[in-house]
């Protein structure tokens, strides 16, 4: 079986990707520093504890496992924090990724799948975002991811390192078997925070801003199920292995939901009220981010199968109630 180096394999999306890779007949080799990931989430292949700022550790992983490809998830990913501590994002995300990309090129590993973000587009109200939309990030997180995209393009030109870049919209849900799920410490994401509020683990969910230029005044996001998202990554890997060359794909469903709509749906799924308070806007938040792309469906044959809001919240709620990692 072929090895795939999965950076961030102990994190939320990376751990689901490892499960999908295993199911597709690959061996996912997790490379993770466990700063935001969980060793308990590494269930589907070998684990290397290492940091992307340590080039020697990356080289050693390439030497030991000879991966046929890299899936690069490891990153700091909190929009709010990136506005407070931008240096941490440039150091960890950009320098760490540069080390990884250089190591892949040096090892002759030519296929690279990269986890980018719709945050690279920035705030473009009333624009349908497709892969050719201009990228004007409004936070350091998005800027760091755009920089890594640029590095990948340069390394393709210089060394033939082929890449598939996925620009995600908002990832939600969990493995329906609850083997892995979303767990951040501290948690900043809407749905897990809301589920915590619903079952009393925190007092209330604060809605960040009710004066946006949207029908109900709250931000609109395009939510995609983590299992659908990682299925696209496996298709992207096969795309590269088939020699189809570098490509960028948006991963969203094209449907936007406001914060209030997510709250209402969560109350429906859990049959419990959602305690809320209304607060000011959070720095770095865009008004509306919705994918207008069908490229992944057309070219990769990607079909989101679980990405209704109801299914995402149902799976997140199941994980919330039954799944856990030892911390
Ligand atoms: N929100 C609240 N209250 C909270 C948390 C979030 O109202 O306690 C709101 C946010 O303001 C936003 C929406 O819920 O409007 C979603 O917020 P998340 O923090 O769940 O997600 P983000 O949209 O901020 O960020 C996510 C990923 C990023 C990615 C970004 C692109 O975490 O990696 O989507 O939009 F870049």
């Amino acid at each position: 079986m072929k090895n795939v180096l999965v950076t961030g394999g102990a994190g939320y999306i990376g751990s689901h990707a490892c499960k999908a890779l295993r199911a597709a007949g690959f061996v996912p080799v997790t490379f993770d520093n466990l700063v935001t990931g969980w060793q308990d989430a590494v269930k589907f292949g070998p684990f290397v504890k290492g940091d992307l700022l340590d080039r020697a550790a990356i080289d050693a992983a390439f030497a030991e496992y000879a991966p046929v490809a890299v899936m690069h998830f490891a990153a700091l990913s909190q929009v709010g924090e990136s506005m407070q501590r931008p240096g941490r994002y440039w150091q960890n995300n950009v320098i760490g990724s540069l080390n990884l990309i250089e190591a892949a090129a040096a090892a002759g590993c030519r296929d690279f799948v990269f986890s980018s973000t719709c945050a690279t587009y920035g705030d473009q109200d009333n624009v349908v975002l497709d892969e050719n939309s201009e990228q004007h990030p409004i936070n350091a997180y998005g800027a760091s991811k755009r920089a890594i995209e640029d590095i990948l393009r340069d390394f393709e030109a210089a060394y033939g390192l082929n890449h598939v870049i996925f620009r995600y919209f908002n990832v939600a849900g969990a493995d329906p078997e609850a083997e892995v799920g979303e767990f951040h410490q501290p948690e900043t994401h809407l749905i897990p925070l809301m589920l915590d509020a619903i079952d009393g683990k925190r007092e209330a969910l604060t809605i960040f801003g009710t004066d946006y230029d949207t029908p109900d005044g709250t931000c609109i996001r395009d939510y995609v199920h983590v299992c659908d998202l990682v299925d696209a990554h496996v298709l992207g890997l096969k795309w590269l292995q088939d020699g189809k060359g570098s490509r960028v794909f948006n991963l969203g469903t094209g449907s936007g939901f406001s914060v209030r709509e997510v709250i209402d749906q969560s109350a429906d799924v859990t049959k419990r009220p959602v305690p809320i308070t209304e607060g000011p806007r959070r720095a770095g938040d865009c008004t509306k981010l919705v994918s207008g792309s069908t490229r992944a469906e057309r070219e990769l044959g990607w079909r989101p199968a679980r990405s209704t809001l109801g299914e995402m919240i149902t799976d997140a709620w199941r994980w919330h109630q039954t799944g856990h990692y030892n911390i």
Side-chain angles (χ1 to χ4, degrees):
M1 282 203 286
K2 294 173 176 173
N3 292 339
V4 175
L5 189 69
V6 183
T7 72
Y12 170 41
I13 301 170
S15 60
H16 288 79
C18 287
K19 182 165 180 172
L21 281 167
R22 191 80 206 193
F26 295 94
V27 177
V29 178
T30 290
F31 185 96
D32 199 299
N33 62 9
L34 298 183
V35 169
T36 57
W38 308 100
Q39 187 152 0
D40 267 12
V42 184
K43 299 182 171 181
F44 311 103
F47 175 51
V48 178
K49 184 166 188 267
D51 196 297
L52 293 177
L53 295 176
D54 178 356
R55 171 68 193 270
I58 308 171
D59 287 339
F62 275 104
E64 183 172 357
Y65 291 101
V68 295
V70 176
M71 272 195 196
H72 178 32
F73 297 96
L76 296 171
S77 64
Q78 293 176 26
V79 169
E81 185 198 42
S82 81
M83 301 298 282
Q84 317 293 331
R85 304 177 67 188
R88 201 167 172 239
Y89 278 70
W90 284 91
Q91 177 80 11
N92 186 79
N93 291 0
V94 180
I95 307 300
S97 296
L98 178 58
N99 283 338
L100 176 67
I101 292 165
E102 285 187 317
C109 180
R110 291 275 171 269
D111 294 340
F112 198 102
V113 179
F114 175 54
S115 154
S116 188
T117 170
C118 63
T120 60
Y121 294 119
D123 223 346
Q124 302 188 37
D125 286 350
N126 302 317
V127 173
V128 175
L129 293 169
D130 68 21
E131 292 83 355
N132 296 318
S133 297
E134 289 184 20
Q135 292 175 288
H136 300 295
I138 63 164
N139 51 62
Y141 167 65
S144 74
K145 289 282 187 171
R146 186 186 59 177
I148 300 160
E149 292 191 8
D150 288 342
I151 295 171
L152 283 170
R153 280 184 272 273
D154 288 345
F155 273 68
E156 180 193 9
Y159 307 110
L161 183 76
N162 296 306
H163 56 261
V164 162
I165 292 170
F166 288 115
R167 295 188 189 134
Y168 311 162
F169 287 67
N170 284 56
V171 188
D175 170 26
E177 293 167 333
E179 283 192 278
V180 285
E182 182 168 17
F183 184 56
H184 299 104
Q185 202 80 295
E187 188 53 77
T188 63
H189 292 97
L190 178 64
I191 292 174
L193 284 175
M194 190 159 36
L195 299 181
D196 274 352
I198 287 172
D199 75 2
K201 287 193 183 132
R202 65 182 72 226
E203 259 182 33
L205 174 84
T206 302
I207 300 179
F208 294 145
T210 53
D211 59 348
Y212 284 96
D213 184 17
T214 60
D216 66 18
T218 64
C219 291
I220 294 177
R221 295 286 182 273
D222 181 339
Y223 294 87
V224 56
H225 196 295
V226 64
C227 292
D228 287 336
L229 186 96
V230 299
D231 284 350
H233 286 66
V234 174
L235 293 170
L237 172 59
K238 289 178 178 163
W239 167 282
L240 287 172
Q241 301 239 290
D242 289 345
K244 293 184 177 170
S246 298
R247 200 76 172 132
V248 178
F249 298 98
N250 281 353
L251 293 179
T253 64
S255 302
F257 295 97
S258 72
V259 173
R260 286 197 200 279
E261 287 174 316
V262 177
I263 291 170
D264 290 347
Q265 185 74 51
S266 301
D268 277 0
V269 166
T270 62
K271 313 258 181 290
R272 298 195 201 173
V274 184
I276 53 168
T277 58
E278 294 183 2
R281 293 182 178 199
R282 182 173 65 178
D285 273 350
C286 299
T287 304
K288 179 175 176 180
L289 283 166
V290 176
S291 172
S293 170
T294 53
R295 185 186 281 180
E297 294 184 27
R298 203 175 54 242
E299 297 186 12
L300 290 177
W302 181 55
R303 301 275 175 274
R306 302 189 68 84
S307 290
T308 64
L309 198 50
E311 271 174 295
M312 287 185 274
I313 295 169
T314 300
D315 289 343
W317 182 233
R318 183 185 306 106
W319 160 254
H320 185 89
Q321 292 179 299
T322 61
H324 59 87
Y325 301 131
N326 292 315
I327 58 169

